[in-house]
Amino acid sequence: MEERGDRTALQCRQYSASCREFSVRCQPVQLRSLSAATCSVWLAAYWLFVLTQNSMVLSTAIFITLIGLIVYLHFVKIDQESLLVIASLGIQMTSSYASGKENTTFIEMSRVKDVVINEAICMQKVIYYLCILLRDPLDPQSVSEVVPLFQSSKPRLNCLVEVYRSCQEILEQRKTVSQTL
Amino acid sequence: MLSHLHPPGNLTNSTDHKAEDASKLAILFDTVAKSKVLFMKDRYDDGPIKLTHWQSEGVEASIIVELMKQASIPVCMLLTFLLSFVSSVCKSRVLKFWPLSFIWSKLSTCEQLGHRLEHLQVISSNRKAQNQPQLMRKANIFVSLLADVALGILLMSWLYRKNRIGHLADTLIPAADHVAKELQDLLQWLMGVPAGLKMNRALDQVLGRFFLYHIHLWISYIHLMSPFIEMILWYVGLSACLGLTVALSILSDIIALLTFHIYCFYVYGARLYCLKIYGLSSLWRLFRGKKWNVLRQRVDSCSYDLDQLFIGTLLFTILLFLLPTTALYYLVFTLLRLLVVVVQGLIHLLVDLIDSLPLYSILLRLCRSYRLAAGVKFRVLEQKTGKPLRLLMQINPLSYGSVVQTYRLPTYSCYPKDSWGSLCKKLFLGELIYPWKHKGEKQD
């Protein structure tokens, strides 16, 4: 069985005994794909210009390229995803885009039931993903929602196992704390 | 409360389980959000627009705001009185007679005006808003109305400059003539050999001449109205100052009136085709020796007499061979009608968008993003060994999509009545289609 995928880098930082942060960096924007996209758009625009002899086509192509690049960098291309686990407070997920925008979601510890690695079959591939199981307020034993993590960077199983082990150590701490209280 | 938390769960749960289940974070947030001192700071680091709190500009701004607050009470009372007068006029018995009430229900301008009247009533009511959603709703309606009227006045100034509306009125009659001429050419094509299909000569001529005469009547009517068109259009264009939505509704109604003959043709063609299809299906059952049992709503076998069978089969053959001609006329006029419906639908979609967009909430999210909170976010600050963990907690503002979804204004929107499957079935059987259903209409 082979593993495929882009190059990713995992970074773990421990701030204190009960607080850890895991960051996964995705592959940055490649120069060759950027130039390929720009060249294809401009070649098409130049061909249209030769057909119609209207210079508006060329300015429209430049406009489209610029707007497309800005939209791609600000809304589509995710640079880094990080997970901050604080035993007494909760779990926070941050995705930062290539343009610097950051999207943050924070889940309180009282809503978190567990952190697990799920296996999914996607067409002909088997993929593994880390997810947070949320507790149902009506029935404490059942799971109300599953929140998948690292959706865009998609680290492979060895990264996920590292993150899983560290998360479980921290979640153990919250159980001991609630039992001693 | 200076900042409002929007929890991610659905709101139906939160009202039941508020007492037992309020999360600690929500309680903390509510407490912090009530402290005014925290929000009086001048600098707001987040967001693309850096604005300072208006009260720090100086005493003058505070005085103006206080004066506006005091002046708003008599203005609201005056507005309420005017609105009650207008609504009593609208509800009077004079306008409720049958032809007039039918026309009012069909014109989308009247619906839009009624909708805006409701909005004005909401704004000018004297009761203060009880809670955050009501306050946001009032503010959204107010800003939306202002923006609408501003756009309408802009449109009006553009139309009346250089007498563009006169040019528009001048091109209206030749445009209607052009459409009628195109329809006549289309009918001549159908009466000949359309797309290589061989039509039944007699039926073709009858239908074609009938529709041509109808177009001739329509053109005479338009030419009769032509001296008054410019004046009517000039006065109708003035109503654009009531708002861009009203202007768009008037445009949609004008399109409906100008293409009324296409609607008539569609109805004639559809009724003829529908009659033919029902006749064919009933005679087909007779051909096979069966009958439709109305009591039991099913198909039963039945023994017919010989002369019944003979005439039935004859009629069946006649209807079957006349089917292609009728079907072709029906197809052509249905396509034209669907084209007009699509254009009207797009205009209504635009009106709906302008009506329901919560402009005040979006501006608030842009300039004062701390007011609409989706939650909190933490950042770990520099640690010192031996000391406890230091975190920075900030407000995590709501995303624009959630802002629009939470604070959308309700409208009388039209949405498709039928699914694609039932629409195709109705088209095939020749039943008349009214593709848009308005929220207030009764189900038929």
Side-chain angles (χ1 to χ4, degrees):
Chain A
M1 203 179 333
E2 61 181 74
E3 289 185 343
R4 290 171 196 254
D6 302 325
R7 288 177 50 184
T8 51
L10 173 69
Q11 185 192 22
C12 305
R13 288 182 66 172
Q14 173 151 349
Y15 293 108
S16 85
S18 59
C19 172
R20 279 185 209 167
E21 185 173 17
F22 312 98
S23 324
V24 178
R25 296 195 80 90
C26 309
Q27 204 161 27
V29 181
Q30 302 252 353
L31 188 63
R32 55 167 181 250
S33 50
L34 198 61
S35 350
T38 319
C39 284
S40 53
V41 168
W42 284 357
L43 272 174
Y46 191 67
W47 177 69
L48 272 177
F49 170 68
V50 165
L51 278 182
T52 57
Q53 292 296 322
N54 188 0
S55 64
M56 276 292 287
V57 172
L58 294 175
S59 9
T60 320
I62 295 177
F63 195 60
I64 289 176
T65 316
L66 279 175
I67 297 285
L69 189 66
I70 290 177
V71 164
Y72 178 69
L73 288 179
H74 195 69
F75 292 108
V76 175
K77 179 83 187 99
I78 293 189
D79 217 10
Q80 176 180 328
E81 284 180 311
S82 66
L83 187 75
L84 175 70
V85 184
I86 308 173
S88 47
L89 280 177
I91 304 184
Q92 169 171 296
M93 295 105 65
T94 317
S95 339
S96 32
Y97 290 82
S99 65
K101 177 171 98 157
E102 283 191 2
N103 239 3
T104 322
T105 320
F106 178 75
I107 303 178
E108 284 178 77
M109 209 35 115
S110 58
R111 283 179 67 199
V112 171
K113 186 158 188 283
D114 205 356
V115 173
V116 295
I117 298 184
N118 260 355
E119 189 183 49
I121 300 179
C122 183
M123 299 282 253
Q124 84 283 11
K125 299 188 290 216
V126 176
I127 54 171
Y128 299 94
Y129 61 98
L130 195 69
C131 55
I132 305 179
L133 302 177
L134 295 184
R135 190 169 286 160
D136 192 5
L138 300 167
D139 180 12
Q141 296 306 316
S142 73
V143 172
S144 76
E145 213 182 319
V146 171
V147 179
L149 303 172
F150 299 124
Q151 294 232 289
S152 311
S153 43
K154 297 194 191 80
R156 281 189 281 278
L157 192 59
N158 39 9
C159 287
L160 288 179
V161 166
E162 284 291 321
V163 178
Y164 173 75
R165 278 205 198 107
S166 300
C167 278
Q168 287 299 326
E169 282 170 20
I170 298 188
L171 289 180
E172 289 286 317
Q173 289 184 14
R174 98 173 143 160
K175 283 203 193 90
T176 51
V177 162
S178 61
Q179 272 165 9
T180 51
L181 280 174
Chain B
M1 200 178 303
L2 284 149
S3 186
H4 188 69
L5 184 66
H6 301 84
N10 44 349
L11 296 165
T12 48
N13 274 346
S14 67
T15 46
D16 292 340
H17 301 280
K18 238 193 193 146
E20 358 168 332
D21 206 40
S23 69
K24 298 194 186 80
L25 206 63
I27 299 174
L28 172 70
F29 194 94
D30 283 351
T31 318
V32 171
K34 288 195 182 103
S35 113
K36 275 197 175 160
V37 182
L38 247 138
F39 288 88
M40 286 282 228
K41 266 178 56 161
D42 260 355
R43 310 274 132 68
Y44 301 108
D45 298 290
D46 263 324
I49 300 182
K50 287 186 176 40
L51 294 173
T52 57
H53 199 267
W54 58 263
Q55 272 179 337
S56 63
E57 292 294 329
V59 189
E60 295 83 9
S62 321
I63 291 180
I64 292 177
V65 170
E66 289 301 315
L67 277 175
M68 276 173 56
K69 277 191 190 158
Q70 294 299 319
S72 66
I73 301 177
V75 166
C76 274
M77 283 177 55
L78 181 68
L79 208 57
T80 322
F81 172 68
L82 281 173
L83 285 174
S84 59
F85 179 66
V86 169
S87 49
S88 67
V89 163
C90 289
K91 288 192 175 59
S92 71
R93 297 279 295 271
V94 173
L95 295 174
K96 288 283 189 199
F97 288 134
W98 180 80
L100 286 177
S101 67
F102 180 71
I103 295 178
W104 299 149
S105 68
K106 287 296 172 198
L107 286 180
S108 58
T109 317
C110 299
E111 274 201 61
Q112 179 64 21
L113 283 174
H115 191 62
R116 281 303 190 207
L117 209 69
E118 268 177 44
H119 279 173
L120 279 174
Q121 278 173 338
V122 167
I123 297 180
S124 65
S125 75
N126 278 335
R127 282 185 7 228
K128 235 175 124 63
Q130 308 292 83
N131 51 10
Q132 168 87 342
Q134 273 188 13
L135 177 70
M136 292 292 279
R137 184 146 176 260
K138 266 185 141 177
N140 276 327
I141 292 178
F142 183 62
V143 173
S144 180
L145 256 175
L146 271 182
D148 198 14
V149 169
L151 282 173
I153 293 182
L154 216 73
L155 177 72
M156 211 173 71
S157 73
W158 178 80
L159 270 180
Y160 284 89
R161 201 179 299 174
K162 297 187 200 169
N163 199 19
R164 280 209 185 88
I165 206 156
H167 295 321
L168 201 71
D170 285 338
T171 55
L172 210 63
I173 303 290
D177 270 343
H178 178 73
V179 167
K181 177 132 191 339
E182 291 292 321
L183 268 178
Q184 277 174 337
D185 289 342
L186 182 72
L187 282 168
Q188 292 291 350
W189 180 68
L190 281 176
M191 273 161 65
V193 183
L197 297 166
K198 189 159 180 289
M199 302 274 106
N200 181 294
R201 179 58 54 108
L203 183 63
D204 217 0
Q205 297 285 324
V206 162
L207 285 177
R209 287 217 193 106
F210 171 66
F211 288 128
L212 277 173
Y213 181 62
H214 202 113
I215 293 179
H216 173 77
L217 280 177
W218 179 252
I219 288 295
S220 327
Y221 165 69
I222 293 268
H223 280 276
L224 205 71
M225 287 268 296
S226 63
F228 308 112
I229 289 276
E230 174 156 2
M231 196 170 67
I232 294 177
L233 214 60
W234 204 90
Y235 284 115
V236 157
L238 279 181
S239 65
C241 71
L242 291 172
L244 184 66
T245 43
V246 176
L248 283 173
S249 313
I250 291 179
L251 177 70
S252 156
D253 286 335
I254 288 179
I255 290 180
L257 281 177
L258 281 182
T259 56
F260 188 63
H261 51 328
I262 294 182
Y263 175 65
C264 284
F265 289 174
Y266 164 69
V267 169
Y268 300 152
R271 286 272 184 248
L272 212 61
Y273 179 76
C274 179
L275 219 64
K276 181 157 284 196
I277 289 286
Y278 274 117
L280 269 175
S281 56
S282 164
L283 289 171
W284 171 246
R285 275 183 230 121
L286 177 141
F287 193 65
R288 286 157 54 218
K290 296 204 189 294
K291 197 173 85 147
W292 174 253
N293 190 337
V294 185
L295 256 158
R296 293 201 185 245
Q297 294 287 312
R298 65 171 188 208
V299 178
D300 277 341
S301 61
C302 168
S303 62
Y304 291 99
D305 294 339
L306 195 63
D307 42 0
Q308 282 175 331
L309 276 176
F310 179 64
I311 296 193
T313 314
L314 210 61
L315 284 174
F316 175 73
T317 327
I318 294 175
L319 283 180
L320 185 67
F321 287 140
L322 290 179
L323 185 65
T325 317
T326 331
L328 194 68
Y329 274 91
Y330 172 65
L331 183 71
V332 166
F333 292 133
T334 310
L335 285 176
L336 282 175
R337 170 79 187 138
L338 284 179
L339 186 68
V340 173
V341 160
V342 160
V343 167
Q344 275 193 298
L346 283 175
I347 295 180
H348 282 239
L349 213 66
L350 191 59
V351 168
D352 209 27
L353 183 71
I354 300 178
D355 262 344
S356 66
L357 199 66
L359 270 178
Y360 176 71
S361 304
I362 292 178
L363 283 174
L364 201 66
R365 168 67 183 86
L366 195 63
C367 308
R368 297 267 186 272
S369 53
Y370 63 87
R371 292 278 293 268
L372 301 167
V376 291
K377 58 185 178 196
F378 291 93
R379 207 172 74 209
V380 183
L381 298 171
E382 271 186 33
Q383 300 306 310
K384 298 197 175 63
T385 46
K387 296 267 175 72
L389 191 66
R390 281 172 51 204
L391 296 167
L392 172 71
M393 180 165 94
Q394 289 171 304
I395 293 183
N396 193 15
L398 209 54
S399 65
Y400 285 100
S402 321
V403 167
V404 171
Q405 208 174 5
T406 322
Y407 292 111
R408 263 192 81 182
L409 295 169
T411 56
Y412 60 93
S413 61
C414 347
Y415 46 96
K417 201 187 335 190
D418 300 307
S419 63
W420 286 110
S422 62
L423 189 72
C424 287
K425 181 163 168 267
K426 278 195 180 168
L427 280 175
F428 185 68
L429 286 180
E431 285 174 25
L432 289 177
I433 46 173
Y434 301 102
W436 309 114
K437 178 170 76 150
H438 289 242
K439 257 190 188 158
E441 268 180 20
K442 290 194 286 264
Q443 194 86 7
D444 52 330

